[in-house]
Amino acid sequence: KIMYSDIASQRHFSDYAGPSKDFDHGVAYFIQKFKDCLIDDFDDSCIHVTCATDTNNVRFVLDKTRKVIMTDNLDRYAGMSAVSQHPDSQGS
């Protein structure tokens, strides 16, 4: 919708100072808005610009997101499993 909407006219994005209906400036603005919401400069974030009406793009983003979440969970589980199996651990 960046190409068809005036970002600054939207209440929540009234701080947008770039040109109206400019894709590159609009995307850069939203990427920065997203980064501003991150806690402690969370470095695992992956920003992917896509057209939500393109099925292949949406599938790509969802597949990548699923892989990142699964990998992160597996890494966390492996770490917890290693700690609980360590001879010095206080497990049961």
Side-chain angles (χ1 to χ4, degrees):
K1 292 189 173 190
I2 292 173
M3 297 295 294
Y4 308 103
S5 301
D6 180 13
I7 297 169
S9 70
Q10 306 302 312
R11 183 170 49 109
H12 297 291
F13 308 120
S14 60
D15 60 332
Y16 176 71
S20 178
K21 301 177 183 175
D22 182 286
F23 182 80
D24 293 331
H25 283 92
V27 166
Y29 168 78
F30 284 113
I31 288 172
Q32 189 57 52
K33 288 290 269 191
F34 175 78
K35 287 180 176 181
D36 290 346
C37 294
L38 297 176
I39 299 170
D40 297 328
D41 294 326
F42 186 63
D43 61 351
D44 276 352
S45 63
C46 177
I47 299 170
H48 179 77
V49 177
T50 186
C51 175
T53 59
D54 183 327
T55 304
N56 290 328
N57 279 341
V58 172
R59 185 174 292 122
F60 172 82
V61 170
L62 292 177
D63 287 344
K64 287 290 188 184
T65 302
R66 193 174 307 121
K67 287 178 185 176
V68 167
I69 292 169
M70 288 176 59
T71 300
D72 185 56
N73 285 334
L74 288 171
D75 288 346
R76 288 177 192 216
Y77 177 77
M80 290 188 317
S81 179
V83 168
S84 66
Q85 293 177 9
H86 191 276
D88 294 335
S89 69
Q90 299 294 324
S92 52

Coordinates of all heavy atoms in Angstrom, one line a residue:
K1 N 0.8 -1.2 0.0 CA 0.0 0.0 0.0 C 0.8 1.3 0.0 O 0.3 2.3 -0.1 CB -0.9 0.0 1.2 CG -2.0 -1.1 1.1 CD -3.0 -0.9 2.2 CE -4.1 -1.8 2.0 NZ -5.2 -1.5 2.9
I2 N 2.1 1.1 0.2 CA 3.0 2.3 0.2 C 2.9 3.1 -1.0 O 2.8 4.4 -1.0 CB 4.5 1.9 0.4 CG1 4.7 1.3 1.8 CG2 5.4 3.1 0.2 CD1 6.1 0.7 2.0
M3 N 2.7 2.5 -2.2 CA 2.6 3.2 -3.4 C 1.3 3.9 -3.6 O 1.1 4.8 -4.5 CB 2.9 2.3 -4.6 CG 4.2 1.7 -4.6 SD 5.5 2.8 -4.9 CE 5.2 3.4 -6.5
Y4 N 0.3 3.6 -2.8 CA -1.1 4.1 -3.0 C -1.6 4.9 -1.8 O -2.6 5.5 -1.8 CB -2.0 3.0 -3.2 CG -1.5 2.1 -4.4 CD1 -1.0 0.9 -4.1 CD2 -1.6 2.5 -5.7 CE1 -0.5 0.1 -5.1 CE2 -1.2 1.7 -6.7 CZ -0.6 0.5 -6.4 OH -0.1 -0.3 -7.4
S5 N -0.8 5.0 -0.7 CA -1.2 5.7 0.5 C -0.2 6.8 0.9 O 1.0 6.6 0.7 CB -1.3 4.7 1.6 OG -2.2 3.7 1.3
D6 N -0.7 7.8 1.6 CA 0.1 8.8 2.2 C 0.4 8.4 3.6 O -0.5 8.4 4.5 CB -0.6 10.1 2.1 CG 0.2 11.3 2.7 OD1 1.4 11.0 2.9 OD2 -0.3 12.3 3.0
I7 N 1.6 7.8 3.8 CA 1.9 7.3 5.1 C 1.7 8.3 6.2 O 1.2 8.0 7.3 CB 3.4 6.8 5.1 CG1 3.6 5.7 4.1 CG2 3.8 6.3 6.5 CD1 5.0 5.3 3.8
A8 N 2.2 9.5 6.0 CA 2.1 10.6 7.1 C 0.7 10.9 7.5 O 0.5 11.4 8.6 CB 2.9 11.8 6.6
S9 N -0.2 10.7 6.6 CA -1.6 11.0 6.9 C -2.3 10.0 7.9 O -3.4 10.2 8.4 CB -2.5 11.1 5.6 OG -2.7 9.8 5.0
Q10 N -1.6 8.9 8.1 CA -2.1 7.8 9.0 C -1.6 8.2 10.4 O -0.5 8.5 10.7 CB -1.5 6.5 8.7 CG -1.8 6.1 7.2 CD -3.2 6.1 6.9 OE1 -4.1 5.5 7.6 NE2 -3.6 6.7 5.7
R11 N -2.6 8.3 11.4 CA -2.3 8.7 12.7 C -1.1 8.2 13.4 O -0.3 8.9 13.9 CB -3.5 8.5 13.6 CG -3.4 9.0 15.0 CD -4.8 8.9 15.7 NE -5.4 7.6 15.6 CZ -5.4 6.7 16.6 NH1 -4.9 7.0 17.8 NH2 -6.0 5.5 16.4
H12 N -0.9 6.9 13.3 CA 0.2 6.2 13.9 C 1.6 6.5 13.3 O 2.6 6.2 13.8 CB 0.0 4.7 14.1 CG -1.2 4.4 14.9 ND1 -1.2 4.6 16.2 CD2 -2.4 3.9 14.5 CE1 -2.4 4.2 16.7 NE2 -3.1 3.8 15.7
F13 N 1.6 7.0 12.0 CA 2.8 7.2 11.3 C 3.0 8.6 10.9 O 3.6 9.0 9.9 CB 2.8 6.3 10.0 CG 2.5 4.8 10.3 CD1 1.4 4.2 9.8 CD2 3.3 4.1 11.2 CE1 1.1 2.9 10.1 CE2 3.1 2.8 11.5 CZ 2.0 2.2 10.9
S14 N 2.4 9.5 11.7 CA 2.5 10.9 11.3 C 3.9 11.5 11.4 O 4.1 12.6 10.9 CB 1.5 11.7 12.3 OG 2.0 11.6 13.6
D15 N 4.8 10.8 12.0 CA 6.2 11.2 12.0 C 7.0 11.0 10.7 O 8.1 11.4 10.6 CB 7.0 10.6 13.2 CG 7.0 9.1 13.1 OD1 6.1 8.5 12.5 OD2 8.0 8.6 13.7
Y16 N 6.3 10.3 9.8 CA 7.0 10.0 8.5 C 7.3 11.3 7.7 O 6.4 12.1 7.5 CB 6.1 9.1 7.6 CG 6.7 8.8 6.2 CD1 7.8 8.0 6.1 CD2 6.1 9.4 5.1 CE1 8.3 7.8 4.8 CE2 6.6 9.2 3.8 CZ 7.7 8.4 3.7 OH 8.2 8.1 2.4
A17 N 8.5 11.5 7.4 CA 8.9 12.8 6.7 C 9.3 12.6 5.3 O 9.7 13.6 4.6 CB 10.1 13.4 7.5
G18 N 9.3 11.4 4.8 CA 9.7 11.1 3.4 C 8.6 11.5 2.4 O 7.5 11.9 2.8
P19 N 8.9 11.4 1.1 CA 8.0 11.7 0.1 C 6.8 10.8 0.1 O 6.9 9.6 0.4 CB 8.7 11.6 -1.2 CG 10.1 11.1 -0.9 CD 10.2 10.9 0.6
S20 N 5.6 11.3 -0.2 CA 4.4 10.6 -0.3 C 4.5 9.5 -1.5 O 5.0 9.8 -2.5 CB 3.2 11.5 -0.6 OG 2.0 10.8 -0.7
K21 N 4.0 8.3 -1.2 CA 3.9 7.3 -2.2 C 5.2 6.9 -2.8 O 5.3 6.5 -4.0 CB 2.9 7.7 -3.3 CG 1.5 7.9 -2.8 CD 0.5 8.4 -3.8 CE -0.8 8.7 -3.2 NZ -1.7 9.3 -4.1
D22 N 6.3 7.0 -2.0 CA 7.6 6.6 -2.4 C 8.0 5.3 -1.8 O 8.2 5.2 -0.5 CB 8.6 7.7 -2.0 CG 10.0 7.4 -2.5 OD1 10.7 6.5 -1.9 OD2 10.5 8.0 -3.5
F23 N 8.1 4.2 -2.6 CA 8.4 2.9 -2.1 C 9.6 2.8 -1.2 O 9.6 2.3 -0.1 CB 8.4 1.9 -3.2 CG 8.6 0.4 -2.7 CD1 7.5 -0.3 -2.2 CD2 9.8 -0.2 -2.8 CE1 7.7 -1.6 -1.8 CE2 10.0 -1.5 -2.3 CZ 8.9 -2.2 -1.8
D24 N 10.8 3.2 -1.8 CA 12.0 3.0 -1.1 C 12.1 3.8 0.3 O 12.5 3.2 1.3 CB 13.2 3.5 -1.9 CG 13.4 2.6 -3.1 OD1 13.1 1.4 -3.0 OD2 13.9 3.1 -4.2
H25 N 11.6 5.0 0.3 CA 11.6 5.8 1.5 C 10.6 5.2 2.5 O 10.8 5.1 3.7 CB 11.2 7.2 1.3 CG 12.4 8.0 0.7 ND1 12.6 8.2 -0.6 CD2 13.4 8.7 1.3 CE1 13.7 8.9 -0.8 NE2 14.2 9.2 0.3
G26 N 9.4 4.7 2.0 CA 8.4 4.1 2.9 C 8.9 2.8 3.5 O 8.8 2.6 4.7
V27 N 9.6 2.0 2.7 CA 10.1 0.7 3.3 C 11.2 1.0 4.3 O 11.2 0.4 5.4 CB 10.7 -0.2 2.2 CG1 11.5 -1.3 2.7 CG2 9.5 -0.7 1.3
A28 N 12.1 2.0 4.0 CA 13.1 2.3 5.0 C 12.5 2.8 6.3 O 13.0 2.5 7.4 CB 14.1 3.4 4.4
Y29 N 11.5 3.6 6.2 CA 10.8 4.1 7.4 C 10.2 3.0 8.2 O 10.4 3.0 9.4 CB 9.7 5.1 6.9 CG 8.7 5.5 8.0 CD1 9.1 6.4 9.0 CD2 7.4 4.9 8.1 CE1 8.2 6.8 10.0 CE2 6.6 5.2 9.1 CZ 6.9 6.2 10.1 OH 6.1 6.5 11.1
F30 N 9.5 2.1 7.6 CA 8.9 1.0 8.3 C 9.9 0.0 8.9 O 9.7 -0.5 10.0 CB 7.9 0.2 7.5 CG 6.6 1.0 7.3 CD1 6.2 1.5 6.1 CD2 5.8 1.2 8.4 CE1 5.0 2.2 6.0 CE2 4.6 1.9 8.3 CZ 4.2 2.4 7.1
I31 N 11.0 -0.2 8.2 CA 12.1 -1.0 8.8 C 12.6 -0.4 10.0 O 12.8 -1.0 11.0 CB 13.2 -1.2 7.7 CG1 12.7 -2.2 6.6 CG2 14.5 -1.8 8.4 CD1 13.7 -2.4 5.5
Q32 N 12.8 0.9 10.0 CA 13.4 1.6 11.2 C 12.3 1.6 12.3 O 12.7 1.4 13.4 CB 13.7 3.1 10.8 CG 14.5 3.8 12.0 CD 15.7 3.0 12.4 OE1 16.6 2.7 11.6 NE2 15.8 2.7 13.7
K33 N 11.1 1.8 12.0 CA 10.0 1.7 13.0 C 10.0 0.3 13.7 O 9.9 0.2 14.9 CB 8.6 1.9 12.4 CG 8.3 3.4 12.0 CD 8.2 4.3 13.1 CE 6.8 4.4 13.6 NZ 6.6 5.5 14.6
F34 N 10.2 -0.7 12.9 CA 10.3 -2.1 13.4 C 11.5 -2.2 14.3 O 11.4 -2.7 15.5 CB 10.3 -3.1 12.3 CG 10.5 -4.5 12.8 CD1 9.4 -5.2 13.3 CD2 11.7 -5.1 12.7 CE1 9.6 -6.5 13.7 CE2 11.9 -6.4 13.1 CZ 10.9 -7.1 13.6
K35 N 12.6 -1.8 13.8 CA 13.9 -1.9 14.6 C 13.8 -1.1 15.9 O 14.3 -1.5 17.0 CB 15.1 -1.4 13.8 CG 15.5 -2.3 12.7 CD 16.7 -1.7 12.0 CE 17.2 -2.7 10.9 NZ 18.4 -2.2 10.2
D36 N 13.1 0.0 15.9 CA 12.9 0.9 17.1 C 12.1 0.1 18.2 O 12.2 0.4 19.4 CB 12.2 2.2 16.8 CG 13.1 3.1 16.0 OD1 14.3 2.9 15.9 OD2 12.5 4.1 15.4
C37 N 11.3 -0.9 17.8 CA 10.5 -1.7 18.7 C 11.3 -2.8 19.3 O 10.8 -3.4 20.3 CB 9.3 -2.2 18.0 SG 8.1 -0.9 17.5
L38 N 12.4 -3.2 18.8 CA 13.2 -4.3 19.3 C 13.8 -4.0 20.7 O 14.2 -2.9 20.9 CB 14.3 -4.7 18.3 CG 13.8 -5.1 16.9 CD1 15.1 -5.4 16.0 CD2 13.0 -6.4 17.0
I39 N 13.8 -5.0 21.5 CA 14.3 -4.9 22.8 C 15.8 -5.3 22.8 O 16.2 -6.3 22.3 CB 13.5 -5.8 23.8 CG1 12.1 -5.3 23.8 CG2 14.1 -5.8 25.2 CD1 11.2 -6.3 24.6
D40 N 16.6 -4.5 23.4 CA 18.1 -4.8 23.6 C 18.8 -5.1 22.3 O 19.6 -6.0 22.2 CB 18.3 -5.9 24.6 CG 17.8 -5.6 25.9 OD1 17.8 -4.4 26.3 OD2 17.3 -6.5 26.6
D41 N 18.4 -4.4 21.2 CA 19.1 -4.6 19.9 C 19.1 -6.1 19.5 O 20.1 -6.6 19.1 CB 20.5 -4.0 19.9 CG 20.5 -2.5 20.0 OD1 19.5 -1.9 19.5 OD2 21.4 -2.0 20.6
F42 N 18.0 -6.8 19.7 CA 17.8 -8.2 19.4 C 18.3 -8.5 18.0 O 17.8 -8.0 17.0 CB 16.3 -8.6 19.5 CG 16.1 -10.0 19.4 CD1 16.6 -10.9 20.3 CD2 15.3 -10.5 18.3 CE1 16.3 -12.3 20.2 CE2 15.0 -11.8 18.2 CZ 15.5 -12.7 19.1
D43 N 19.4 -9.2 17.9 CA 20.1 -9.4 16.7 C 19.7 -10.6 15.8 O 20.2 -10.8 14.8 CB 21.6 -9.4 16.9 CG 22.1 -10.6 17.7 OD1 21.2 -11.3 18.3 OD2 23.3 -10.8 17.8
D44 N 18.7 -11.3 16.3 CA 18.2 -12.4 15.5 C 17.0 -12.0 14.6 O 16.4 -12.9 14.0 CB 17.7 -13.5 16.5 CG 18.8 -14.5 16.9 OD1 19.9 -14.3 16.4 OD2 18.6 -15.3 17.8
S45 N 16.7 -10.8 14.6 CA 15.6 -10.3 13.7 C 16.0 -10.4 12.3 O 17.1 -10.2 11.9 CB 15.2 -8.9 14.1 OG 16.2 -8.0 13.8
C46 N 15.0 -10.8 11.5 CA 15.2 -10.9 10.0 C 14.1 -10.1 9.4 O 12.9 -10.4 9.5 CB 15.1 -12.4 9.6 SG 15.2 -12.6 7.8
I47 N 14.5 -9.1 8.7 CA 13.5 -8.2 8.0 C 13.4 -8.6 6.5 O 14.5 -8.7 5.9 CB 13.9 -6.8 8.2 CG1 13.9 -6.4 9.7 CG2 12.9 -5.9 7.4 CD1 14.5 -5.1 10.0
H48 N 12.2 -8.9 6.1 CA 12.0 -9.3 4.7 C 10.9 -8.5 4.2 O 9.7 -8.6 4.7 CB 11.7 -10.8 4.6 CG 11.5 -11.2 3.2 ND1 12.5 -11.4 2.3 CD2 10.3 -11.5 2.6 CE1 12.0 -11.8 1.1 NE2 10.7 -11.9 1.3
V49 N 11.1 -7.7 3.1 CA 10.0 -6.9 2.5 C 9.3 -7.8 1.5 O 10.0 -8.4 0.7 CB 10.6 -5.6 1.9 CG1 9.6 -4.8 1.2 CG2 11.4 -4.8 2.9
T50 N 8.0 -7.8 1.6 CA 7.3 -8.6 0.7 C 5.9 -8.0 0.4 O 5.5 -7.1 1.1 CB 7.0 -10.0 1.3 OG1 6.4 -10.9 0.3 CG2 6.2 -10.0 2.5
C51 N 5.3 -8.5 -0.7 CA 4.0 -8.1 -1.1 C 3.1 -9.2 -0.5 O 3.1 -10.3 -0.9 CB 3.8 -8.0 -2.6 SG 2.2 -7.7 -3.1
A52 N 2.2 -8.8 0.5 CA 1.4 -9.8 1.2 C 0.4 -10.5 0.2 O -0.3 -11.4 0.6 CB 0.7 -9.2 2.4
T53 N 0.2 -9.9 -0.9 CA -0.8 -10.5 -1.8 C -0.2 -11.5 -2.8 O -0.8 -12.2 -3.5 CB -1.5 -9.4 -2.7 OG1 -0.6 -8.7 -3.4 CG2 -2.3 -8.5 -1.8
D54 N 1.1 -11.7 -2.7 CA 1.9 -12.6 -3.6 C 2.0 -13.9 -2.8 O 2.8 -14.0 -1.8 CB 3.2 -12.0 -4.0 CG 4.0 -13.0 -4.9 OD1 3.9 -14.2 -4.8 OD2 4.7 -12.4 -5.8
T55 N 1.3 -15.0 -3.2 CA 1.3 -16.2 -2.4 C 2.7 -16.8 -2.3 O 3.1 -17.3 -1.2 CB 0.5 -17.3 -3.2 OG1 -0.9 -16.7 -3.3 CG2 0.4 -18.5 -2.4
N56 N 3.6 -16.7 -3.3 CA 4.9 -17.2 -3.2 C 5.8 -16.5 -2.2 O 6.6 -17.0 -1.4 CB 5.6 -17.2 -4.6 CG 5.0 -18.3 -5.5 OD1 4.5 -19.3 -5.0 ND2 5.0 -18.0 -6.8
N57 N 5.6 -15.1 -2.1 CA 6.3 -14.3 -1.2 C 5.9 -14.7 0.3 O 6.7 -14.8 1.2 CB 6.2 -12.8 -1.4 CG 7.1 -12.3 -2.5 OD1 8.1 -13.0 -2.8 ND2 6.8 -11.2 -3.0
V58 N 4.6 -14.8 0.5 CA 4.1 -15.1 1.8 C 4.6 -16.5 2.2 O 5.0 -16.7 3.3 CB 2.5 -15.0 1.8 CG1 2.0 -15.6 3.1 CG2 2.1 -13.6 1.6
R59 N 4.5 -17.5 1.3 CA 5.0 -18.8 1.6 C 6.5 -18.8 2.0 O 6.9 -19.4 2.9 CB 4.8 -19.7 0.4 CG 5.2 -21.2 0.7 CD 4.8 -22.1 -0.5 NE 3.4 -22.2 -0.6 CZ 2.7 -21.9 -1.7 NH1 3.3 -21.4 -2.8 NH2 1.4 -22.0 -1.7
F60 N 7.3 -18.0 1.2 CA 8.7 -17.9 1.5 C 8.9 -17.3 2.9 O 9.7 -17.8 3.7 CB 9.4 -16.9 0.5 CG 10.8 -16.6 0.8 CD1 11.8 -17.5 0.5 CD2 11.1 -15.4 1.4 CE1 13.2 -17.1 0.8 CE2 12.4 -15.0 1.7 CZ 13.4 -15.9 1.4
V61 N 8.2 -16.2 3.3 CA 8.4 -15.6 4.6 C 8.0 -16.6 5.7 O 8.7 -16.7 6.7 CB 7.6 -14.3 4.7 CG1 7.6 -13.8 6.1 CG2 8.2 -13.3 3.7
L62 N 6.8 -17.2 5.5 CA 6.4 -18.2 6.6 C 7.3 -19.3 6.7 O 7.6 -19.8 7.8 CB 5.0 -18.6 6.2 CG 3.9 -17.6 6.3 CD1 2.5 -18.1 5.9 CD2 3.8 -17.0 7.7
D63 N 7.8 -19.9 5.6 CA 8.8 -21.0 5.7 C 10.1 -20.5 6.4 O 10.6 -21.3 7.3 CB 9.2 -21.5 4.3 CG 8.1 -22.3 3.7 OD1 7.1 -22.7 4.4 OD2 8.1 -22.5 2.4
K64 N 10.6 -19.4 6.1 CA 11.8 -18.9 6.8 C 11.5 -18.7 8.3 O 12.4 -19.0 9.1 CB 12.3 -17.6 6.2 CG 12.9 -17.7 4.8 CD 14.2 -18.4 5.0 CE 15.0 -18.4 3.7 NZ 16.2 -19.2 3.7
T65 N 10.4 -18.1 8.6 CA 10.0 -17.8 10.0 C 9.9 -19.2 10.7 O 10.5 -19.3 11.8 CB 8.7 -17.1 10.1 OG1 8.8 -15.9 9.3 CG2 8.3 -16.8 11.5
R66 N 9.3 -20.1 10.1 CA 9.1 -21.4 10.8 C 10.5 -22.1 11.0 O 10.8 -22.6 12.1 CB 8.3 -22.3 9.9 CG 7.8 -23.6 10.5 CD 6.9 -24.4 9.6 NE 5.7 -23.6 9.2 CZ 5.5 -23.4 7.9 NH1 6.2 -23.9 6.9 NH2 4.4 -22.7 7.5
K67 N 11.4 -22.0 10.1 CA 12.7 -22.5 10.2 C 13.5 -21.9 11.3 O 14.2 -22.5 12.1 CB 13.5 -22.5 8.9 CG 13.0 -23.4 7.9 CD 13.8 -23.3 6.6 CE 13.2 -24.2 5.5 NZ 13.9 -24.0 4.2
V68 N 13.4 -20.5 11.4 CA 14.1 -19.8 12.5 C 13.6 -20.2 13.8 O 14.4 -20.4 14.8 CB 14.0 -18.3 12.2 CG1 14.5 -17.5 13.5 CG2 14.8 -17.8 11.0
I69 N 12.3 -20.3 14.0 CA 11.7 -20.6 15.3 C 12.1 -22.0 15.7 O 12.5 -22.3 16.8 CB 10.2 -20.5 15.2 CG1 9.8 -19.0 15.1 CG2 9.5 -21.1 16.4 CD1 8.4 -18.7 14.8
M70 N 12.0 -23.0 14.7 CA 12.3 -24.4 15.0 C 13.8 -24.5 15.4 O 14.2 -25.2 16.3 CB 12.0 -25.3 13.8 CG 10.5 -25.5 13.7 SD 10.0 -26.4 12.2 CE 10.9 -27.9 12.5
T71 N 14.7 -23.8 14.6 CA 16.1 -23.9 14.9 C 16.4 -23.3 16.3 O 17.2 -23.9 17.1 CB 16.9 -23.2 13.8 OG1 16.6 -23.8 12.6 CG2 18.4 -23.2 14.1
D72 N 15.8 -22.2 16.6 CA 16.0 -21.6 17.9 C 15.5 -22.5 19.0 O 16.2 -22.7 20.0 CB 15.3 -20.2 18.0 CG 15.6 -19.5 19.3 OD1 16.8 -19.3 19.6 OD2 14.6 -19.1 20.0
N73 N 14.4 -23.1 18.9 CA 13.8 -24.0 19.9 C 14.7 -25.2 20.0 O 14.9 -25.7 21.2 CB 12.4 -24.4 19.6 CG 11.4 -23.2 19.9 OD1 11.7 -22.4 20.7 ND2 10.3 -23.3 19.2
L74 N 15.2 -25.8 18.9 CA 16.1 -26.9 19.0 C 17.4 -26.6 19.7 O 17.9 -27.4 20.5 CB 16.3 -27.5 17.6 CG 15.1 -28.2 17.0 CD1 15.4 -28.6 15.5 CD2 14.8 -29.5 17.8
D75 N 17.9 -25.4 19.4 CA 19.2 -25.0 20.1 C 19.0 -24.8 21.6 O 19.8 -25.2 22.4 CB 19.7 -23.7 19.5 CG 20.2 -23.9 18.1 OD1 20.5 -25.0 17.7 OD2 20.4 -22.8 17.4
R76 N 17.8 -24.2 21.9 CA 17.5 -24.0 23.4 C 17.3 -25.4 24.1 O 17.8 -25.6 25.2 CB 16.3 -23.2 23.5 CG 16.5 -21.7 23.2 CD 15.2 -21.0 23.3 NE 15.4 -19.6 22.7 CZ 14.8 -18.6 23.2 NH1 14.1 -18.6 24.2 NH2 15.0 -17.4 22.6
Y77 N 16.6 -26.3 23.4 CA 16.4 -27.6 24.0 C 17.7 -28.4 24.2 O 17.9 -29.0 25.2 CB 15.4 -28.4 23.2 CG 15.2 -29.8 23.7 CD1 14.4 -30.0 24.9 CD2 15.8 -30.9 23.2 CE1 14.2 -31.2 25.4 CE2 15.6 -32.2 23.7 CZ 14.8 -32.3 24.8 OH 14.7 -33.6 25.3
A78 N 18.5 -28.3 23.2 CA 19.8 -29.0 23.2 C 20.7 -28.4 24.4 O 21.3 -29.2 25.1 CB 20.6 -28.9 21.9
G79 N 20.6 -27.1 24.6 CA 21.4 -26.5 25.6 C 20.8 -26.9 27.0 O 21.6 -27.2 27.9
M80 N 19.5 -27.0 27.1 CA 18.9 -27.4 28.4 C 19.2 -28.8 28.7 O 19.5 -29.2 29.8 CB 17.4 -27.1 28.4 CG 17.1 -25.7 28.5 SD 15.3 -25.3 28.7 CE 14.5 -26.4 27.6
S81 N 19.1 -29.6 27.6 CA 19.4 -31.1 27.8 C 20.8 -31.3 28.2 O 21.0 -32.2 29.1 CB 19.1 -31.8 26.4 OG 19.3 -33.1 26.5
A82 N 21.7 -30.6 27.6 CA 23.1 -30.8 28.0 C 23.4 -30.4 29.5 O 24.1 -31.1 30.2 CB 24.0 -30.0 27.1
V83 N 22.7 -29.3 29.9 CA 22.9 -28.9 31.3 C 22.3 -29.9 32.2 O 22.9 -30.3 33.3 CB 22.2 -27.5 31.5 CG1 22.1 -27.2 33.0 CG2 23.0 -26.4 30.8
S84 N 21.1 -30.5 31.9 CA 20.5 -31.4 32.8 C 21.2 -32.8 32.9 O 21.1 -33.5 33.8 CB 19.0 -31.7 32.4 OG 19.0 -32.3 31.2
Q85 N 22.0 -33.1 31.9 CA 22.8 -34.3 31.8 C 24.2 -34.2 32.4 O 24.9 -35.1 32.5 CB 22.8 -34.9 30.4 CG 21.5 -35.3 29.9 CD 21.5 -35.8 28.5 OE1 22.6 -35.9 27.9 NE2 20.3 -36.0 27.9
H86 N 24.6 -32.9 32.7 CA 25.9 -32.7 33.2 C 26.0 -33.3 34.6 O 25.1 -33.1 35.4 CB 26.2 -31.2 33.2 CG 27.6 -30.8 33.4 ND1 28.1 -30.8 34.7 CD2 28.7 -30.6 32.6 CE1 29.4 -30.5 34.7 NE2 29.8 -30.4 33.4
P87 N 27.1 -33.9 34.9 CA 27.3 -34.6 36.2 C 27.2 -33.6 37.4 O 26.8 -34.0 38.5 CB 28.7 -35.2 36.2 CG 29.2 -35.1 34.8 CD 28.3 -34.2 34.0
D88 N 27.5 -32.4 37.2 CA 27.5 -31.4 38.3 C 26.1 -30.8 38.4 O 25.9 -29.9 39.3 CB 28.5 -30.3 38.1 CG 29.9 -30.8 38.1 OD1 30.1 -31.9 38.8 OD2 30.8 -30.2 37.5
S89 N 25.1 -31.1 37.6 CA 23.8 -30.4 37.6 C 23.1 -30.9 38.9 O 23.3 -32.0 39.4 CB 23.0 -30.7 36.4 OG 22.6 -32.1 36.3
Q90 N 22.1 -30.1 39.3 CA 21.3 -30.5 40.5 C 20.0 -31.1 40.1 O 19.1 -31.0 40.9 CB 21.1 -29.2 41.3 CG 22.3 -28.5 41.8 CD 23.1 -29.3 42.8 OE1 22.5 -30.0 43.6 NE2 24.4 -29.3 42.7
G91 N 19.9 -31.8 39.0 CA 18.7 -32.4 38.6 C 18.3 -33.6 39.4 O 19.0 -34.0 40.4
S92 N 17.1 -34.2 39.2 CA 16.7 -35.3 40.0 C 17.3 -36.6 39.7 O 18.0 -36.8 38.7 CB 15.2 -35.4 39.8 OG 14.8 -35.5 38.5

